[in-house]
Amino acid sequence: GAVVSQHPSWVICKSGTSVKIECRSLDFQATTMFWYRQFPKQSLMLMATSNEGSKATYEQGVEKDKFLINHASLTLSTLTVTSAHPEDSSFYICSARDLSSGREKLFFGSGTQLSVL
Amino acid sequence: AQKVTQAQTEISVVEKEDVTLDCVYETRDTTYYLFWYKQPPSGELVFLIRRNSFDEQNEISGRYSWNFQKSTSSFNFTITASQVVDSAVYFCALSESGGSQGNLIFGKGTKLSVKP
């Protein structure tokens, strides 16, 4: 079964509204989670690294005020797209790093399709 | 600069055919890691393999096999006797950050369609 739960799977919103996407690790603690963005027929692009209890690290070109990341617990990271516009429409996918076995494993969520009207 | 190129955008095969997905990478580091992921229609990425730059041994796992050639900077993925369930988008990825899967550079993916 899935070990990383991402919610919602899809969301349609009006331009100017904010949308929150949740990423949960279900049976392990994830001090680090990652957020990616994927345009149709394009690759995944890392947006930011979410660290539990500290500020997220954003990749170059990603607006931190636009894409707010909160990682308040060891099992939950949220991405909020603030004042969404049609150009923010994309597939957003998270991943969580599991170090519990002594060897790094990365598990991905099932993604969120965001459509901004 | 780091870069991963998957030249094949889409491939269509008939069930039981063998298919090879190409991946060419660029990096200036001597230590790096290469990955393959599968993204089925449901969206989540499924980890398939991780290979470090010092290990050029080819690997076979069931119907899957990988051919790592440092001389040509390629890390190709072959599915033998393909099945309909293999239909997905496959991504090749590169990491220079000590193998961390978080700091991955992905290729654009190859969409594989296996028809019955």
Side-chain angles (χ1 to χ4, degrees), chain A residues 63-75:
Chain A
E63 299 174 61
K64 63 177 79 173
D65 295 329
K66 172 79 172 174
F67 299 99
L68 300 178
I69 290 173
N70 184 282
H71 194 157
S73 79
L74 287 170
T75 59

Side-chain angles (χ1 to χ4, degrees), chain A residues 34 36 38 41-46 49 59 91 93 95 97 103-111, chain B residues 9-10 37 39 42-47 50 89 91 99-109:
Chain A
F34 304 93
Y36 295 84
Q38 184 181 23
K41 298 187 178 182
Q42 296 293 318
S43 181
L44 282 78
M45 299 297 293
L46 179 65
T49 302
E59 295 299 301
F91 187 70
I93 192 165
S95 66
R97 179 187 282 162
R103 180 175 175 156
E104 181 196 41
K105 294 180 183 177
L106 195 68
F107 297 98
F108 286 81
S110 55
Chain B
T9 306
E10 293 190 43
Y37 289 90
Q39 186 180 39
S42 52
E44 79 280 11
L45 267 75
V46 178
F47 169 84
R50 161 180 148 154
V89 180
F91 289 96
S100 168
Q101 294 185 60
N103 301 327
L104 293 168
I105 307 297
F106 284 89
K108 290 189 175 181

